[in-house]
Amino acid sequence: MKQVRLMALIRETAVVLVLLLVGGVVMLGIWAGGAPPEELREYFIDRGLVETGAVNLVSSIYLGYRAFDTFGETIVLLLAVSGVIFIIDRKELTRTKLARPTIGNIDQYGRHRTEILDLISRKLSPYVMLFGLYLISHGHLSPGGGFQGGVVLASGIILLTLGKGVDKIEAMFPIRRVALAEAGTFLLLLGIGVVGILYGGTLFENFLPGGGPGDPSEATRIPIVSHVFFLNLIIGLKVGAGISLISLSLFKEE
Amino acid sequence: MTEVLLILLLVMGFLALQVRNLLSAVIFLAVLSLLSSLLFYHLHAPDVAITEAVVGAGVSTVVFIWLLHRTERRDDT
């Protein structure tokens, strides 16, 4: 017994030492690195709004200038979803209804169900989803964007699932269709990138016929920000579908 | 303000590591995420703050609690 405790103590000390070492190296890197280069910062502040039209400088950078990185992030999410689907048994995912019905306030898993969770989740989740849509559609104007909005959208669906049970929510959002939305929006994103190559030579080049945001020459022109807006919309749908898919299949597996 | 938040983050991380009830550990992690989201907001990064609040305090807590539901509630090591 004493030896076990000694081993645990040694292990904990080793972990703390390694953590301190790693932290020290990181802090040294930060202190030795000096100030970040100012050229890019000045460039983004000066030209960001004019070149991408997005008032929110963060989304003008990550969708206007560095959409390729965002594309990589969506691939990461796609891999996570694929992993969950791969691990969880496929028969479980396509299974239709549970045989045991809900009796009184005991649900089909034999758990005691309270009305508080049911009521609050039902009243709250529409507003959560609305906030997600706001974050997605105003990502170019205010803080937020496709990724954040998509996750908020999915958390609205998770909230509904916690209240009503997975079977009812799965009837509204069938897993097969959510997976289709995930894959379809990914292909759409890929297509937009490729069209950008064909149009301007680089991935995710803005191919919409846009003038600047304050360009008065042609009133019928699509504003230049619509590229960022559509990318936000597609990424929001993709992330929302992906996170909902992961959580729905996790809940369904139990 | 920044220093207070950073110290609270350390405290929350330490508590999450030390506590034996894993559900409490998950809740400490959620509070840690919420505090770091406050920190990001205080450092003028509202986009990151939204992401941290939603992913760290929201979705990952749900996933962790689902995991606890499937496995053991206590850490007996």
Side-chain angles (χ1 to χ4, degrees):
Chain A
M1 195 64 203
K2 210 164 192 179
Q3 206 180 1
V4 170
R5 202 168 289 169
L6 192 69
M7 287 298 287
L9 192 68
I10 291 175
R11 205 170 46 198
E12 275 183 20
T13 324
V15 167
V16 167
L17 280 180
V18 168
L19 282 179
L20 281 178
L21 196 70
V22 171
V25 169
V26 170
M27 288 312 286
L28 271 183
I30 290 174
W31 281 326
E38 286 187 8
E39 293 87 7
L40 266 182
R41 195 178 68 190
E42 299 295 326
Y43 182 84
F44 285 140
I45 290 174
D46 282 348
R47 306 282 304 161
L49 178 61
V50 183
E51 284 183 354
T52 66
V55 178
N56 180 9
L57 209 56
V58 176
S59 53
S60 98
I61 291 171
Y62 83 85
L63 289 178
Y65 294 105
R66 315 238 21 116
F68 182 63
D69 302 359
T70 313
F71 184 61
E73 277 177 43
T74 62
I75 293 179
V76 171
L77 187 69
L78 194 74
L79 272 178
V81 172
S82 318
V84 169
I85 293 179
F86 177 74
I87 289 171
I88 289 175
D89 195 359
R90 227 164 264 197
K91 271 179 253 158
E92 290 277 346
L93 289 184
T94 48
R95 164 187 66 115
T96 48
K97 276 248 163 188
L98 278 166
R100 275 183 293 169
T102 312
I103 308 160
N105 50 5
I106 306 289
D107 71 353
Q108 62 263 58
Y109 309 110
R111 281 188 312 227
H112 210 74
R113 195 168 268 299
T114 74
E115 270 181 34
I116 301 170
L117 182 61
D118 189 24
L119 192 71
I120 288 187
S121 69
R122 238 184 317 153
K123 299 277 190 249
L124 204 59
S125 75
Y127 296 102
V128 173
M129 288 194 210
L130 191 67
F131 183 60
L133 284 179
Y134 160 76
L135 282 181
I136 292 173
S137 57
H138 284 234
H140 57 292
L141 296 175
S142 55
F147 185 77
Q148 292 95 321
V151 182
V152 173
L153 210 61
S155 61
I157 295 177
I158 292 175
L159 200 60
L160 264 185
T161 318
L162 293 180
K164 301 298 286 179
V166 72
D167 288 328
K168 281 185 181 149
I169 306 306
E170 220 247 321
M172 280 167 71
F173 304 98
I175 281 186
R176 205 167 275 271
R177 230 175 275 174
V178 176
L180 203 66
E182 231 265 342
T185 44
F186 178 73
L187 282 182
L188 204 58
L189 205 61
L190 193 65
I192 288 179
V194 171
V195 170
I197 293 186
L198 297 179
Y199 178 81
T202 53
L203 203 64
F204 289 105
E205 180 82 30
N206 186 355
F207 55 84
L208 295 170
D215 183 10
S217 56
E218 283 175 61
T220 52
R221 273 188 165 181
I222 304 167
I224 195 169
V225 75
S226 47
H227 187 66
V228 171
F229 174 74
F230 284 128
L231 280 181
N232 256 338
L233 211 62
I234 292 167
I235 290 171
L237 281 179
K238 186 187 146 50
V239 171
I243 305 275
S244 323
L245 187 62
I246 290 179
S247 41
L248 277 181
S249 35
L250 285 183
F251 287 133
K252 203 169 165 60
E253 207 236 357
E254 71 177 335
Chain B
M1 183 69 182
T2 313
E3 288 81 5
V4 175
L5 281 174
L6 282 173
I7 290 169
L8 277 176
L9 282 184
L10 270 181
V11 171
M12 285 301 151
F14 183 77
L15 284 175
L17 278 177
Q18 282 302 313
V19 82
R20 282 286 180 235
N21 186 346
L22 288 178
L23 187 62
S24 314
V26 170
I27 300 301
F28 279 131
L29 275 186
V31 176
L32 188 144
S33 281
L34 211 59
L35 285 175
S36 53
S37 140
L38 270 180
L39 180 67
F40 293 143
Y41 185 75
H42 182 68
L43 296 174
H44 304 286
D47 295 78
V48 190
I50 294 173
T51 315
E52 181 65 42
V54 172
V55 177
V59 175
S60 69
T61 308
V62 170
V63 171
F64 275 139
I65 289 179
W66 176 84
L67 193 76
L68 283 186
H69 181 68
R70 293 296 305 256
T71 55
E72 289 286 317
R73 176 85 168 261
R74 280 190 64 81
D75 172 22
D76 290 325
T77 52

